[in-house]
Amino acid sequence: AQKVTQAQTEISVVEKEDVTLDCVYETRDTTYYLFWYKQPPSGELVFLIRRNSFDEQNEISGRYSWNFQKSTSSFNFTITASQVVDSAVYFCALRELTQGAQKLVFGQGTRLTINP
Amino acid sequence: NAGVTQTPKFQVLKTGQSMTLQCAQDMNHNSMYWYRQDPGMGLRLIYYSASEGTTDKGEVPNGYNVSRLNKREFSLRLESAAPSQTSVYFCASTEHLNTEAFFGQGTRLTVV
């Protein structure tokens, strides 16, 4: 069965620090997709990134970067020079393809608090 | 440019009452989903509809029913609400198999 583990339940750092959110996944599929979503205090889910299993290149988007390592089944997310607006719950998710639909298996989420 | 719209945003029910959560998307997506979010458990899939006319159970379907009314709308019904169904419910839709899911704003349901 597919599984996603975010072992860090809560992280608290001071503004401008770098912070890494860990994500470890389990799947028997040879082709799969991983996602990160952000849930700010307002409650909506905001898509951040999608990564397929064929592409192991790291990705950078402004202060955000993602490190995908198939050898360790990890897809970690780093925020550089964190800001108060980065405070949110972050979810890692794995796509499970079933009967024409893509179901998402979510990790438990990491609550990130950036203190001024 | 509404995306995925859920109604209501908040609801309080008494144990045993019934209600229907509504979801509509205006992006012409084929697949739609209902998830529930509970503290410390992430989001879990309740039901999904791969395409108009089909529905299937997800991880936690007990106590719920769904209807894919048409391509735009996918409703979730609680026939006899229980306190264990207190949660935040999210509707989502996807266009293709390899694209991201778009989520509604969520419905916060409390069963007392």
Side-chain angles (χ1 to χ4, degrees):
Chain A
Q2 319 268 49
K3 185 178 179 181
V4 176
T5 301
Q6 296 178 254
Q8 305 151 306
T9 304
E10 294 190 30
I11 299 175
S12 181
V13 301
V14 176
E15 197 172 20
K16 298 183 182 178
E17 288 186 12
D18 299 346
V19 58
T20 296
L21 282 61
D22 297 333
C23 173
V24 174
Y25 62 91
E26 297 176 25
T27 180
R28 287 177 291 185
D29 295 343
T30 53
T31 302
Y32 52 90
Y33 281 78
L34 293 158
F35 301 80
W36 276 94
Y37 281 85
K38 173 182 179 180
Q39 186 176 44
S42 51
E44 73 273 25
L45 285 157
V46 179
F47 166 75
L48 294 178
I49 189 171
R50 175 184 70 250
R51 173 53 52 90
N52 72 56
S53 53
F54 296 132
D55 183 2
E56 291 194 67
Q57 285 191 346
N58 291 334
E59 177 139 353
I60 298 174
S61 177
R63 296 183 297 104
Y64 295 172
S65 63
W66 290 268
N67 183 355
F68 176 38
Q69 292 196 342
K70 288 178 73 172
S71 60
T72 56
S73 297
S74 65
F75 186 41
N76 297 336
F77 172 32
T78 297
I79 301 174
T80 302
S82 60
Q83 299 177 2
V84 173
V85 293
D86 296 325
S87 296
V89 180
Y90 291 87
F91 292 99
C92 180
L94 174 66
R95 185 202 73 176
E96 179 178 332
L97 192 57
T98 303
Q99 298 177 348
Q102 52 165 341
K103 304 187 293 186
L104 291 176
V105 177
F106 283 84
Q108 302 91 321
T110 297
R111 180 177 299 278
L112 176 63
T113 302
I114 310 297
N115 299 296
Chain B
N1 197 22
V4 180
T5 302
Q6 292 181 232
T7 54
K9 289 186 170 50
F10 301 94
Q11 184 71 49
V12 179
L13 288 179
K14 293 182 179 179
T15 298
Q17 286 185 320
S18 62
M19 79 161 294
T20 299
L21 280 64
Q22 307 287 353
C23 175
Q25 51 91 9
D26 61 3
M27 297 172 284
N28 202 35
H29 288 177
N30 285 321
S31 302
M32 297 185 73
Y33 313 79
W34 277 104
Y35 291 87
R36 61 176 287 174
Q37 181 182 7
D38 301 294
M41 304 189 73
L43 281 79
R44 294 178 293 168
L45 184 65
I46 305 171
Y47 270 93
Y48 66 98
S49 171
S51 60
E52 187 178 355
T54 68
T55 60
D56 283 286
K57 296 178 180 179
E59 181 184 353
V60 288
N62 290 345
Y64 306 96
N65 285 301
V66 291
S67 295
R68 184 73 182 267
L69 303 171
N70 47 55
K71 191 171 185 179
R72 290 186 63 249
E73 299 173 284
F74 188 40
S75 63
L76 178 71
R77 183 161 178 84
L78 287 70
E79 290 291 352
S80 179
S84 60
Q85 294 178 304
T86 293
S87 187
V88 180
Y89 292 84
F90 286 96
C91 178
S93 68
T94 56
E95 180 182 15
H96 301 299
L97 297 178
N98 299 330
T99 57
E100 70 271 24
F102 291 80
F103 286 84
Q105 292 182 307
T107 297
R108 185 173 294 275
L109 175 67
T110 302
V111 183
V112 298

